[in-house]
Each structure stands twice: as structure tokens, then as C-alpha cells.
Amino acid sequence: MNVKERGLLIVLSGPSGVGKGTVRKALFSQPDIQLQYSISVTTRKPREGEVDGVDYFFKTREQFEQMIRQNELLEWAEYVGNYYGTPIEYVEKTLQEGKDVFLEIEVQGAMQVRKVFPEALFIFLAPPSLSELRKRIEMRGTESEELIRDRLKAAKEELEMMDAYDYVVENDQVELACERIKAIVTAEHCRRERVAQRYKKMLEVE
Amino acid sequence: MNVKERGLLIVLSGPSGVGKGTVRKALFSQPDIQLQYSISVTTRKPREGEVDGVDYFFKTREQFEQMIRQNELLEWAEYVGNYYGTPIEYVEKTLQEGKDVFLEIEVQGAMQVRKVFPEALFIFLAPPSLSELRKRIEMRGTESEELIRDRLKAAKEELEMMDAYDYVVENDQVELACERIKAIVTAEHCRRERVAQRYKKMLEVE
């Protein structure tokens, strides 16, 4: 009897420079983490200390382009002259085993994943601009109007970007951001629709 | 400038005997808990050690019935000859202050709250029957068929009851149940709709 639930696909994304990689590393350095990290493929050269098959799968451009042609990538993008992508096989196999898969990718990649896996959890990592902005507005007079205007413009852009996401996690502190991401995963496993499906499967099998 | 978000109303309910009171007490014994517990009104006599205004507001039947007539109760029910209810004033005031309010009430009360506060979070506390049931079915042969049939019947009833809830938390271990409830509250605060509303409020004020 197999009543195993398919795993959740969790996509962490957000504007560049927001600290996605830092949050991901902090998350996976925790001993109790239950998520499976999907390692990306890239054509960029390994940096010092980076290990093939741990940090990335390092490929040549020819190899990467072949993966594109053979539909082996869930999402891919070219960024500063290098390819980055997510191999679909690992993601699909791991989800089928009932394990949750975690991707940390760029915004354009997240939009590609959304088309293939609309049921995935999309988490937008946001800079701590909102709470900062609030403070700055409250302290108005001590700050230049121009600075506040720049911040407001950035907030407007973030607001537009986050529209395609299910959750927004503010990266005010890396540890707090990790706690929120873990809470989101725990809560999603408790959603009534999911639990009811498990009950139904159990009752059907009988 | 007030960009304060209204608090969340969290309703914990479930079949009688599932351990709602135990989970609620464990939750509020934690030092870091951010929820405000809404104390119920009752006409039953205080048990030993129970304090008026801490465990319950103890009232006479006349006082309680007056509260009903004056629409001072968010929900109420009569149970084994005694009235139990939730004063609406505390709930409304605390939510407006931006604090999350926690109710632990019977299933029929939860359905009343749903009519007034459809935006509340409804958490169904379920007995650990599902995982137990799975084990029993897997061990079939060592258990009587009748026992398994009884469990399946109970699971069917639970499945029907949980339909009106947003989340289901299995009460397999009190500590785990508390962790899941806290995770649900954290995750709900990160929902994009809520965060986006905060952004919008901030940008409108400007």
C-alpha cells in the first residue's frame, strides 16, 4: 500500500543582490533540515572551494546546450555570459519519492518553473526595505527627500515583482528568514486540502 | 502614519477529547508566544485552581443570557448543561491593535465564528488516527478486522468535519502540534497578499 504524498517543490527567488545564496546556505547548514537541495548546472568556472556535484554541476557550453535541446532543464537562463539551469530529472524523481525539493533561482527562472509546476511554492525573498522605509519616513527631516524617493521607487518595483509569488520573506536577518521559510514548508504540509487528500487515499485503498 | 496590519484571528478546534485544551495550555506556557489568548465566559463552576479572569470569566446564567441578548458574544454554545462563549469586545479590540488572537473552542462555535470572521485561520486538531490507522492496516492480521473498521469510520467522520478548516494539525505529540500551530501563524504573516497590502499602504500614504 502506498499512501505516500508527492513532495513539495519550493522555489526561493527574489531580486538580485537580496541574499538568496546566503539564505540558502544558512538553511542547508542546519542539521534538522528536511529539504532536498536541487543542485544547478552551470557553464561558469568553479570558484575556489567549489566542488562539482556539490555546489554546481559544471558543464561546457556544448554540454549545456545539448541539455536545453533534449529538454533536460526545468528552467535555464544566461547571466553575465554563463548558463545556469535546473536539471528536471532530479527534481521529478525526488518529488515522486515524497521528498520536498528546494530551488534557489533567479526571478526569470522562477517564472519558467511556474509554467511547468504551478502547484509549487513560490517564495519571494525581499530586502528589508519596507521596515527600513517606515523608519526613514517616520524620521523624515533627518533624511534627504531624494533618498526616501529612491526607496519608495524600489518598494514599488518589489511590489510588482512579488505578484507571482505565494509568500514574501523579508531578509532582515538571515536566521529569521530561514525560520520563516521552514515555517512556510511546515504550514503547507498542514493545509487541509493536502491532509484531506491523504485521508481520502487511505479510505479509498480500503 | 499608521501602517499597522490588523491581527490574525486563529481558531483552534476539533472533535471533543482530541486534546485542544492541552495543546492550548502547552502553547501558552511557551515564553516566546506572540498570541493573545481570548478567555472564554462560562456558567460552569470554577474547578480547583481555576482563577476568574485567567482560565475563564465565571458568570451566572442570567449574566450569560444577557450577554447573548446584547450581542456581546462572538460565539456561544450550551454543553453538558453549561454555557460557554467568547466575548466579542476583547477579540475585536485586540485585532485592531494589530495583535493575533487565539481561540480554542468547540466545533459548533468555530462554525459560528466562520460566519462573522471568514478571514480567520481555522485549524482543525485531529487525533493521530491517520498514522496509527496506516500502521494497523500494514500490520493487518495481528489486529481484529472490527478494530480497523471502527478506525476507518472515525477517519471518515474526521474527514467530513475538517472540510470547513484551513489547516489540519495532527495531535500525535503535544510539542509537535504546538510547533505546527506556530509555523502556520508565521507562514500566514508571510503570505504575499498580506505583505503586498502592507507595501501598498506604505506607498499610498506617501
Side-chain angles (χ1 to χ4, degrees):
Chain A
M1 186 178 87
N2 182 17
V3 288
K4 199 169 267 176
E5 190 187 2
R6 197 174 147 89
L8 296 176
L9 179 59
I10 298 124
V11 179
L12 182 72
S13 192
S16 70
V18 75
K20 296 187 288 291
T22 309
V23 168
R24 185 252 303 162
K25 272 179 206 146
L27 195 61
F28 281 90
S29 72
Q30 299 189 358
D32 63 334
I33 197 78
Q34 301 273 345
L35 307 168
Q36 310 297 312
Y37 177 53
S38 166
I39 301 162
S40 293
V41 192
T42 186
T43 58
R44 85 153 162 70
K45 295 273 166 294
R47 291 187 194 134
E48 214 181 301
E50 282 184 345
V51 178
D52 186 42
V54 174
D55 297 286
Y56 283 99
F57 295 112
F58 294 101
K59 304 275 180 192
T60 64
R61 286 188 79 85
E62 292 69 42
Q63 288 171 322
F64 197 102
E65 284 165 0
Q66 195 180 4
M67 291 183 84
I68 299 174
R69 281 194 303 273
Q70 297 181 343
N71 283 321
E72 292 173 20
L73 297 174
L74 172 55
E75 57 84 28
W76 66 273
E78 199 166 1
Y79 186 68
V80 206
N82 288 302
Y83 285 129
Y84 294 82
T86 302
I88 199 162
E89 195 190 345
Y90 174 82
V91 172
E92 193 45 64
K93 193 186 88 221
T94 313
L95 291 175
Q96 272 175 24
E97 287 169 3
K99 294 175 191 154
D100 298 338
V101 176
F102 185 90
L103 304 182
E104 176 246 308
I105 53 179
E106 299 299 325
V107 171
Q108 68 217 87
M111 296 304 98
Q112 292 176 46
V113 176
R114 227 195 148 156
K115 282 179 198 150
V116 188
F117 287 99
E119 75 279 17
L121 290 188
F122 293 87
I123 304 177
F124 185 85
L125 193 68
S129 55
L130 200 63
S131 40
E132 259 181 30
L133 183 58
R134 188 176 306 176
K135 272 184 231 145
R136 281 170 196 277
I137 291 173
E138 281 164 357
M139 298 191 313
R140 187 162 263 184
T142 67
E143 292 270 9
S144 80
E145 280 296 316
E146 204 186 326
L147 206 86
I148 293 177
R149 265 203 308 278
D150 285 353
R151 299 259 163 185
L152 282 169
K153 194 167 157 264
K156 263 177 208 154
E157 283 167 7
E158 284 155 28
L159 182 61
E160 271 172 41
M161 281 171 97
M162 68 177 70
D163 219 40
Y165 291 77
D166 304 302
Y167 293 95
V168 179
V169 165
E170 210 176 274
N171 190 17
D172 44 356
Q173 284 180 48
V174 174
E175 293 72 27
L176 282 179
C178 289
E179 285 315 304
R180 290 176 196 134
I181 292 169
K182 290 202 293 185
I184 290 167
V185 176
T186 299
E188 283 286 331
H189 278 290
C190 295
R191 286 190 80 87
R192 193 248 307 154
E193 301 89 318
R194 279 204 183 90
V195 181
Q197 229 169 31
R198 289 207 293 273
Y199 267 68
K200 274 176 199 153
K201 255 190 181 168
M202 175 82 66
L203 296 169
E204 267 168 26
V205 169
E206 268 308 299
Chain B
M1 185 178 88
N2 182 17
V3 290
K4 198 168 266 175
E5 189 186 3
R6 196 174 148 89
L8 297 177
L9 179 59
I10 298 125
V11 179
L12 183 72
S13 192
S16 71
V18 74
K20 295 188 288 290
T22 309
V23 169
R24 185 253 302 161
K25 272 179 208 148
L27 196 60
F28 281 89
S29 72
Q30 299 188 359
D32 62 335
I33 197 78
Q34 301 273 345
L35 306 169
Q36 310 298 312
Y37 177 53
S38 165
I39 301 161
S40 294
V41 191
T42 185
T43 58
R44 85 153 162 71
K45 296 273 166 294
R47 293 188 192 135
E48 215 182 300
E50 283 185 344
V51 178
D52 187 42
V54 175
D55 297 286
Y56 284 97
F57 296 112
F58 295 101
K59 304 276 179 191
T60 63
R61 285 188 79 84
E62 292 67 43
Q63 288 172 322
F64 197 101
E65 284 164 2
Q66 195 180 3
M67 291 183 86
I68 298 174
R69 281 193 305 272
Q70 298 181 344
N71 283 321
E72 293 172 20
L73 297 174
L74 171 55
E75 57 84 29
W76 66 273
E78 199 167 0
Y79 186 68
V80 205
N82 287 303
Y83 286 129
Y84 294 82
T86 302
I88 199 161
E89 194 190 345
Y90 175 83
V91 172
E92 194 44 65
K93 194 186 87 221
T94 313
L95 292 176
Q96 272 175 25
E97 287 168 4
K99 294 175 191 154
D100 298 337
V101 176
F102 185 90
L103 304 183
E104 176 244 309
I105 53 180
E106 299 298 325
V107 171
Q108 67 217 87
M111 296 305 97
Q112 292 175 46
V113 178
R114 230 200 142 149
K115 282 178 198 151
V116 189
F117 287 99
E119 75 280 18
L121 290 188
F122 293 88
I123 304 177
F124 185 85
L125 193 68
S129 56
L130 199 64
S131 39
E132 258 182 31
L133 183 58
R134 188 178 304 177
K135 273 184 228 144
R136 282 168 195 276
I137 292 174
E138 281 165 358
M139 297 192 314
R140 185 161 265 186
T142 68
E143 292 270 11
S144 79
E145 280 296 315
E146 204 187 325
L147 206 87
I148 293 177
R149 265 203 307 277
D150 285 353
R151 299 259 164 185
L152 282 168
K153 194 169 157 263
K156 264 177 206 154
E157 284 167 8
E158 284 155 28
L159 182 60
E160 271 173 38
M161 281 170 96
M162 68 178 69
D163 219 41
Y165 292 77
D166 304 302
Y167 294 95
V168 178
V169 165
E170 210 175 274
N171 190 17
D172 45 356
Q173 285 179 48
V174 174
E175 294 73 26
L176 282 178
C178 290
E179 285 315 305
R180 290 176 195 133
I181 292 168
K182 290 202 294 184
I184 290 168
V185 176
T186 300
E188 283 286 331
H189 278 289
C190 294
R191 287 189 78 88
R192 191 248 307 154
E193 302 89 318
R194 279 205 183 92
V195 181
Q197 229 169 30
R198 290 207 292 273
Y199 267 69
K200 274 176 198 153
K201 253 189 181 168
M202 175 83 65
L203 296 169
E204 267 167 26
V205 169
E206 268 310 298

